Amino acid sequence: MDHKEMPCPTADTWGKSFPSGNELLKNISSDDTPLTSSQRSQQKWEDPSMLDYNARIEPPFQDFKQRSETQSSLPCNPNNHNKVTDEEDVQMNGTIQTEKIQDWDPRAMLNNLTFLEQKIHQLQDLVHLIVGRRSQALGRPDELVAQQKQLITADLTSIIVQLISTAGSLLPSVKPLSGTTPTGQLGQLGGLFLPSTVGLNGSVQLQNNSGSKVSDQSNQMDITVNCGNEQNYNMEEHESKDDEDADEGENLPPGSYEILQLEKEEILAPHTHFCTICGKGFKRDANLRMHMRGHGDEYKTPAALAKPNKEATSEPMLIKRYSCPYAGCKRNKEHKKFQPLKTILCVKNHYKRTHCDKSYTCSRCNTKKFSVIADLKTHEKHCGKDKWLCSCGTTFSRKDKLFGHIALFQGHTPAIPLEETKGPNVPPDRGEGNEAINKVRSINFNFGSNAPNGNEVQNTADVKGNIEDPTGYFSPLNFDTWNFGGFHEFPRPPYEDSESSLSFLIPGSCNYTVPGSCNFTQKTGAESSSNNPE
Amino acid sequence: MKKAKQFQFQVQPLINNNNNNNNNNNGLSFSYFDLLSEEIVFTILDLLTQNPLDKKSFSLVCKNFYFLESKHRRILKPLRSEYLPKVLTRYPHVTHMDLTLCPRVTDATLTNIASACNSNLVSIDLSMSKFFTGVGLLNLAVKCENLVELDLSNATELKDSAAAMVAEARNLERLWMRRCKMVTDMGVGCIAVGCRKLKLLSLKWCVGVGDLGVGLIAVKCKDIRSLDLSYLPISDKCLPSILNLQYLEDLALVGCFSIDDNSLAVLKNGCKSLKKLDMSSCEKITHIGLSSVFSCTICLEQVTLANGCSVNLDLADSLNKLSKLQSIKLDGCPVTCAGLGAIGDWCVSLKELSLSKCSGVTDEGLTYLFTKQKDLRILDITCCRKITDVSISHITSSCTDLSSLKMESCTLVPREAFILIGQRCHSLEELDLTDNEIDDEGLKSISKCSKLSSLKLGLCLNITDEGLAHIGMSCVGLKELDLYRCTGITDSGILAIAGGCLGLEMINIAYCKEITDNSLLLFSKCAQLNTIECRGCPHITSLGLAAIAAGCKQLTKLDIKKCYKIDDAGMIPLAYFSQNLKQINLSYSSVTDVGLLSLASISCLQTLTILHLKGLTPSGLAATLLACRGLTKVKLHASFKSLLPQAIFEHLEARGCLFQWREKVFEAELDPKCWKQQLEDMMQ
């Protein structure tokens, strides 16, 4: 039982609404591993029950359609909810899912129930209001009625979903499922993938059934349905990527697909879908269909609202690929190494990026230009935050991108930010003190090498000048300034000098009494025969 | 050198003449040295390498010799950076600068060197100083365009900007950057792009460098031979590109905690050139990962897997792929019998095996291992506490060519087993028997190993002078002897050693309580002695120390802790004669301010340990610290911290001196047997 072949005409709407939900779930629920089984099972965890609804509630649906104002009780039709509410649902669902990752918490359950109660009350009020109004003014325009209807169904759907998930958290069989890691690991193991999914599915199914009190279908059947669904979703999700490079790895043999080529004007046209009645243009087919409903009741049937090309999916159809109209382009079908584009959106973005002027300039940096407005917006989000800089002037928001760039180009090198370049000249802890040390050092050295006797005055002055700096303060104390450490070539008689310097230094600057300082100076003299070992 | 000095009276100073081929006899006297060509003198100078003071004496003979020596010198290892400008003008041909002894190397120093040496400079070692920045390095890199070797280790403050300056040294081939913790991928990226000729790079402990930086090195520096990436947070992202390096021979990945079996599984392209691999302390790697590594590095000769996974049959099987393997180091790994047996089966050409501190080494395992091993030269079974004479018997009978055997703390090996070692392994050069049951009979047998150069007998309580006498008589080539806490040894044992082993370089007689000054007087005949440890010898006095100082001019390390009788009278000759002394421990001795201050004349002195010196006053300490200009490390009791003004310590730290404060209380000496008992209790 493939859901596409189901008699229910809204199956396609389902198909469309799921991928977005799926994406959201992916964001919320866990890791970025594409299509781990956990994700699938989560998806399943809400989706079979809906299908069940779908199958069972078919007759009331018609009913509902006709008297939409009815204060319908819980088993309402989930098919009708539009996109916005759908996302909302999923988000709530998501929060519940994440909560479940922790152990079952009765307090959370209570919160959920209170929340549900409030929601039901709100809904009651709303329906009361509608009933009141309706009695006042009959024959209002259809659109208002439709809006109200949508609002109510949306609320109801969310209530149902929450109720199910709240009930579901009670079941012990769900727990291993809710923690994403074990299933995730199973998924990564690859080969084990399918059986594990089936197994898990069973438990989910069980739980779902008891939660929603719909249990007349066999689990086995549902599983196959789900598998079918998944594949479908995957494909759709993949297709929805608007990056033209998404198909880089695709290797379709030539001829296995149908090549379409749009003209330049067609590509650059702001709208592609036009209303046959009023001529208004739309970017998306779905928006056009929504618009068409305003032109009369015949556009409101499920058949009219359905995605048109999906009807033919049962028979094998040639895959469509697109060619760029620009001659010589690799994406042009005449090119030797032609690489087709996957969707119309890909064509548009490719054409604008590659063959059009870059007319959108970033308002922040005033340098980067883009031809696709979405690219500009993406850039503006990060503009100014690019801290990884190459010597060629290119900036990167990510370090690995910079290193990839440098690995690719000869002669390019990472550029160290300026503030850091200045930093090390002055060590952070010492600051200017270091310079002072250097200064003192060089002075010492000078008077050591030139005229030992004449410079003592200058030296004292130096001491005073640097009195707050410890190094400057003590540096005159280097009594072996007079002999060059290991490099004193010819012994000089340094006794007088060192003695004077010592007598000046030790008592003068720090008041230490040095016992045997005489002895000490003798030794200093002897040191002139010191060495320079290697 | 004495001969040269005799000649100095005959040599007429040749003023303004540094060409000694010029045989100008200007009437007063004739110098035979004038007949020697420069080349011959240079050849003589080449041989004057033993004592650095020799060349100094040579240059002091006459002006001509002075100029010749200046012209000849290529390597410079200055003690102070302050005098460098003058020194560099004296030695214009210096190519190698070693600044490891300078406590303080600043940008100004580097700038001086750069402008003085210019393109002459080939190698510079800055590994012990952290006061320079990118500015100095830029000067070096730009002016010394032939710089090939640069050691920046321990420059913990160095930032990416400085690394970018290093990148300007385009001809750099060998670069060490150990512990440059502030450098990140960006800095290493600059080096990768700038220094394309790099052959050796060590990034050990550069914890800021990750996959991106290392990956770029692998992409840009294709000539790399040796790469040390120990303790880097790298993962599988850069490993494949590293192993793609065509010439890589030596790779160290010690303690790379992010590498696990999965990241090794991706390695596919073989690295045929790799010969040495060190993957010690990689906790997440098991035999599975190692198996995938070994399958792509089949030419490995040396594998180090210390502190790693269990050595079992699987690991041994993976080693089977390495047909050229010569050395395996498995220190600290848990091993199994089967694993050892398989290693013995697979790796038949082993030259070196290290199993120190491996748990699970038993007689059974070693018996398996040594049934096929015949060529083993180096064996380390330190702390394999379960083995007995069975193992020793197998080892000695199959590996008769053993040159190094380390078996510290194999406590179950009975004294008879050591006789086997002497009987069968005559090629032994290095033998570590610390903490074993060996007795005089064993020593007598070991004395047959005439090539022995290093013998460690610490904590061997069964040996006496009699056994040591055999060693002293037969092992004349002994350079290193450790008798730590051998309480049975007295002066008569030392008499045999000092009389027989004149080439002795290192002696440890710590806590040999019977030793007196006589021993030190005997040791003063061993002119090559550079390390003397005699802590805890209560009979040693200043007299003995004075004899050592006068006799052993090479002395660089001296430990006289707890030699209570040594006082200032010992310090003064030490200060006068031991001009090579770098490290001294004076704790608990009777040295006072005067003696300590006299040490200031030893310009090499770098490390000073002075705890519990009763005669030391704060002012004496301050004067000593200020006077010893080359100090880099001082160990002091924490009480001095408050007794001296903070400014002094700040000043000394700015000069490049590091302080280590100790809170230890004064401890009385223990009986050695009781001490050993304590140690054993602690281990159990």
Side-chain angles (χ1 to χ4, degrees), chain B residues 247-262:
Chain B
Y247 304 107
L248 189 66
E249 287 174 7
D250 182 359
L251 178 64
L253 296 168
V254 180
C256 290
F257 52 89
S258 304
I259 299 179
D260 56 17
D261 287 348
N262 290 334

Side-chain angles (χ1 to χ4, degrees), chain A residues 387-389 399-400 402-404 406-417 420-430 434 437-438 441 445 449 470-475 477-492 506 510-517 519-520 523-524 526-534, chain B residues 52-53 55-56 59-60 63 66 73 75-80 82-83 85-87 90-91 101 104 106-108 131 133-135 157 159-162 164-165 184-187 189-190 193 196 212-213 216 219-220 572 575-576 579-580 593-594 597-598 600-604 619-620 622-623 626-627 629 644-645 647-648 650-651 653-655:
Chain A
K387 51 176 187 168
W388 304 107
L389 186 68
K399 197 161 123 184
D400 54 337
L402 167 66
F403 276 76
I406 289 164
L408 202 62
F409 295 101
Q410 295 282 325
H412 290 212
T413 172
I416 314 291
E420 211 214 326
T421 326
K422 279 181 181 168
N425 294 353
V426 184
D429 48 343
R430 306 223 139 253
N434 200 36
I437 295 166
N438 290 339
R441 246 137 234 284
F445 160 70
S449 60
T471 329
Y473 187 57
F474 288 111
S475 53
L477 209 79
N478 54 353
F479 54 86
D480 55 359
T481 310
W482 315 115
N483 79 48
F484 286 98
F487 307 102
H488 202 249
E489 311 86 63
F490 294 106
R492 290 179 201 166
I506 295 182
C510 38
N511 283 330
Y512 293 121
T513 48
V514 183
S517 68
N519 186 2
F520 165 57
K523 289 297 140 204
T524 322
E527 197 207 354
S528 60
S529 62
S530 62
N531 62 323
N532 49 339
E534 336 198 314
Chain B
L53 289 177
K55 275 186 191 164
K56 192 178 176 80
S59 68
L60 291 177
K63 275 203 172 175
Y66 175 84
R73 186 178 282 276
I75 304 167
L76 208 56
K77 191 173 181 179
L79 288 168
R80 310 271 189 280
E82 292 93 299
Y83 317 120
K86 184 88 188 230
V87 171
R90 173 174 166 186
Y91 296 109
L101 295 180
R104 191 183 161 86
T106 60
D107 285 341
F131 292 93
T133 70
V135 182
E157 309 291 318
K159 295 210 174 69
D160 283 340
S161 51
M165 303 303 161
T184 71
D185 286 332
M186 295 294 277
C190 291
V193 174
R196 302 293 280 270
L212 295 172
L216 201 61
V219 168
K220 299 282 183 186
I572 288 159
Y576 187 77
Q579 286 298 320
N580 287 321
D593 292 350
V594 182
L597 197 53
S598 68
S601 72
I602 305 173
S603 51
C604 286
S619 52
L626 291 170
R629 307 271 306 162
L644 286 177
I648 289 198
E650 281 171 18
H651 165 71
E653 272 162 14
R655 230 163 59 174

Side-chain angles (χ1 to χ4, degrees), chain B residues 352-422:
Chain B
E352 184 179 1
L353 179 63
S354 186
L355 295 169
S356 77
K357 294 169 197 164
C358 289
S359 57
V361 177
T362 56
D363 281 339
E364 197 189 352
L366 286 186
T367 308
Y368 285 142
L369 179 65
F370 284 104
T371 42
K372 285 194 184 170
Q373 296 297 337
K374 302 284 178 208
D375 286 338
L376 208 65
R377 299 287 153 85
I378 301 168
L379 177 64
D380 188 346
I381 45 171
T382 300
C383 292
C384 294
R385 295 174 198 278
K386 290 176 187 163
I387 62 167
T388 67
D389 52 335
V390 180
S391 293
I392 300 300
S393 168
H394 266 96
I395 291 169
T396 50
S397 59
S398 38
C399 312
T400 47
D401 288 337
L402 221 52
S403 71
S404 164
L405 175 61
K406 290 183 185 172
M407 49 178 294
E408 179 181 343
S409 292
C410 294
T411 34
L412 288 185
V413 176
R415 50 186 73 187
E416 296 78 26
F418 297 98
I419 299 172
L420 293 177
I421 296 178

